[in-house]
Amino acid sequence: MTPNRSSHPLLSCADGAAMSSADFILLAGRILLALIYLRSGFPKLFDIAHVAATYPPRGLATWLVWIAVPAEFFGGLFVILGFATRYVAIVMVVFTLVAAVSSHAYWDVAAGAARRAQDTNFFKNISMIGGFLILFVAGPGRFSVDRWLAKL
């Protein structure tokens, strides 16, 4: 078995394309995975008091806002840049899991459109955790601050 082959030869036809474009695809994946965190986190940076008021009804301590809001925005930014990627991936797994359970508790919503929306958002977050776990294992790729720093 060659190092670039993922499985049986009949199932490894895409391996060459994946290997030759891995760094670009990792960059694109990091950007796509992190955009939602930048978009959601940026306005929260400027209205932390309002965000904090939403925490107790969701069962979260108010002081957590001082961890969550910077983690959301700067975590997204660092993922895009590929800076401290594996550490940030773990932070984002924890952030996203807490957000899924506290903000999208579909099991607490009556049947109907609201429940379906919360169910969709919950499992969207779970899927994004999968992306962060893959990023943790794969690393940021060549087009990253981590790779640049490794050369110093």
Side-chain angles (χ1 to χ4, degrees), residues 65-123:
V65 75
W66 296 101
I67 297 170
V69 170
E72 182 175 17
F73 177 75
F74 290 106
L77 180 63
F78 290 172
V79 165
I80 288 174
L81 295 174
F83 176 69
T85 305
R86 288 191 165 109
Y87 299 103
V88 172
I90 294 302
V91 168
M92 298 309 283
V93 163
V94 172
F95 172 85
T96 306
L97 183 60
V98 171
V101 172
S102 67
S103 299
H104 304 298
Y106 67 91
W107 50 87
D108 288 339
V109 180
R115 183 182 177 106
R116 283 190 304 278
Q118 290 303 332
D119 176 82
T120 298
N121 284 314
F122 176 85
F123 284 103

Side-chain angles (χ1 to χ4, degrees), residues 30 78 80-85 140-151:
R30 289 192 339 253
F78 290 172
I80 288 174
L81 295 174
F83 176 69
T85 305
R142 185 174 49 159
F143 306 126
S144 65
V145 172
D146 286 345
R147 184 65 60 94
W148 177 76
L149 291 172
K151 294 178 183 179

